[in-house]
Amino acid sequence: MLRVETSFQDTPGDDHYIVLYYNGRPLEEQLQELGLKDGDAVILWEPDCDYTVEATLLFAYKHPMMLRPALWARAKTKSS
């Protein structure tokens, strides 16, 4: 499973995370190269803390706090 860098301080509090980088480059630029699809599972981590979370990629997700759709991930819950 791919380990993707995110920023937990930007988390809006509803289990959605902004997906930022993989191997020092924006993940959005690498989606095709890595063969990722909407709904793929990833592990999100933040470099300043030890916390990680399993999540599902959401391509072009329009979160209410953003003006435009972007690449996000949603934490997996026990029911998902």
Side-chain angles (χ1 to χ4, degrees), residues 48-73:
D48 295 333
C49 66
D50 292 331
Y51 185 73
T52 61
V53 64
E54 269 193 57
T56 303
L57 291 177
L58 302 172
F59 285 26
Y61 178 70
K62 173 66 175 82
H63 193 277
M65 70 178 254
M66 304 293 281
L67 295 175
R68 293 186 208 118
L71 178 62
W72 286 70

Side-chain angles (χ1 to χ4, degrees), residues 31-46:
L31 295 174
Q32 189 171 11
E33 180 181 319
L34 294 169
L36 294 172
K37 300 179 298 299
D38 188 48
D40 280 352
V42 294
I43 295 174
L44 300 178
W45 69 283
E46 207 273 327

